[in-house]
C-alpha cells in the first residue's frame, strides 16, 4: 500500500485477482519466500520496466502486433513487458504475459497466460485498484465490444 496501490480485483471481488501481488494472499506458499510480481497495471504504475512499456491507440494503429515477454525474462532480451492500450470510451487496458518462472514462479493463477487489466482510482484516497478483466491461453482472444462506437477492440494471444 505504500506505493499508492490498492487491491487487485476480479469479478467484483477485492483481492480476487491472484495473478500477482495485491490479490488474495491465501495462496502464497510462504509469504517470506514467495516469488511473484505485481500485475501489468501495477507494474506500469511503478515504472520499473519503463524501457519495456509501450502505449498504443488502436485508432492510430489498428493492426498493432508485438511480442510480450514475462517479467521473469526481463533481462534476457529487449522484448516488451507491458502494453497499454489507450481507451477510447472506456478505461485503458494493460496487457502483460504472466510467465510462471523465476521471480514469478509462485503466481497463484494465470501462469503462462496473457492477462488483461483495467484500473480504477479510488475517489476516497486516489489509490489505484486494478481489475483483471481477461486471461488468455494461446489461441484465445478477448473482445471489448463497447471500446468504440464503430468497432470492437480485439486482444489476441497468438
Amino acid at each position: 500500500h505504500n506505493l499508492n496501490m490498492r487491491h487487485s480485483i476480479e469479478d467484483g471481488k477485492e483481492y480476487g485477482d491472484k495473478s500477482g501481488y495485491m490479490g488474495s494472499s491465501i495462496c502464497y506458499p510462504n509469504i517470506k519466500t514467495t516469488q511473484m510480481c505485481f500485475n501489468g497495471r501495477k507494474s506500469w504504475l511503478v515504472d520499473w520496466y519503463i524501457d519495456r512499456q509501450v502505449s498504443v491507440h488502436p485508432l492510430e494503429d489498428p493492426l498493432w502486433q508485438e511480442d510480450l515477454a514475462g517479467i521473469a525474462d526481463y533481462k534476457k532480451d529487449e522484448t516488451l513487458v507491458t502494453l497499454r492500450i489507450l481507451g477510447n470510451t472506456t478505461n485503458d487496458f494493460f496487457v502483460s504475459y504472466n510467465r510462471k518462472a523465476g521471480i514469478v514462479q509462485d503466481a497463484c493463477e494465470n501462469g503462462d497466460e496473457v492477462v488483461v487489466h483495467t484500473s480504477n482510482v479510488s475517489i476516497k484516497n486516489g489509490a489505484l485498484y486494478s481489475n483483471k478483466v481477461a486471461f488468455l491461453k494461446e489461441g484465445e482472444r478477448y473482445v471489448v465490444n463497447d471500446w468504440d462506437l464503430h468497432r470492437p477492440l480485439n486482444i489476441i494471444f497468438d
Side-chain angles (χ1 to χ4, degrees):
H1 298 105
N2 292 335
L3 298 173
N4 205 30
M5 291 186 215
R6 290 296 178 251
H7 305 127
S8 299
I9 299 168
E10 182 178 6
D11 294 328
K13 297 176 190 156
E14 195 167 346
Y15 301 103
D17 175 13
K18 299 177 199 84
S19 64
Y21 283 122
M22 302 304 290
S24 175
S25 63
I26 199 164
C27 64
Y28 301 167
N30 180 331
I31 197 67
K32 293 183 180 183
T33 61
T34 296
Q35 294 188 53
M36 293 191 339
C37 291
F38 293 120
N39 65 40
R41 174 58 186 112
K42 289 180 168 54
S43 291
W44 187 280
L45 177 73
V46 295
D47 283 340
W48 290 337
Y49 314 105
I50 195 164
D51 61 324
R52 308 283 171 77
Q53 297 177 168
V54 171
S55 290
V56 297
H57 195 295
L59 290 179
E60 296 170 8
D61 192 357
L63 298 176
W64 193 86
Q65 181 176 337
E66 183 68 47
D67 290 333
L68 284 174
I71 292 170
D73 296 323
Y74 175 75
K75 291 186 176 185
K76 289 185 179 178
D77 59 33
E78 306 265 329
T79 307
L80 187 66
V81 171
T82 307
L83 168 67
R84 178 183 183 186
I85 302 172
L86 299 172
N88 197 28
T89 58
T90 60
N91 288 323
D92 294 348
F93 291 86
F94 297 84
V95 183
S96 59
Y97 180 59
N98 199 31
R99 179 159 146 60
K100 192 168 180 163
I103 62 171
V104 190
Q105 69 186 2
D106 295 325
C108 298
E109 61 186 15
N110 307 120
D112 298 325
E113 295 180 345
V114 168
V115 186
V116 182
H117 289 89
T118 60
S119 63
N120 304 64
V121 176
S122 170
I123 295 170
K124 191 178 200 180
N125 57 18
L128 178 92
Y129 289 86
S130 61
N131 184 26
K132 182 169 66 175
V133 295
F135 46 93
L136 310 171
K137 293 177 177 24
E138 192 169 353
E140 294 182 332
R141 75 175 53 214
Y142 173 62
V143 179
V144 183
N145 288 312
D146 62 349
W147 185 83
D148 181 62
L149 296 174
H150 305 288
R151 68 196 126 238
L153 172 68
N154 288 281
I155 300 171
I156 303 167
F157 181 10
D158 193 14

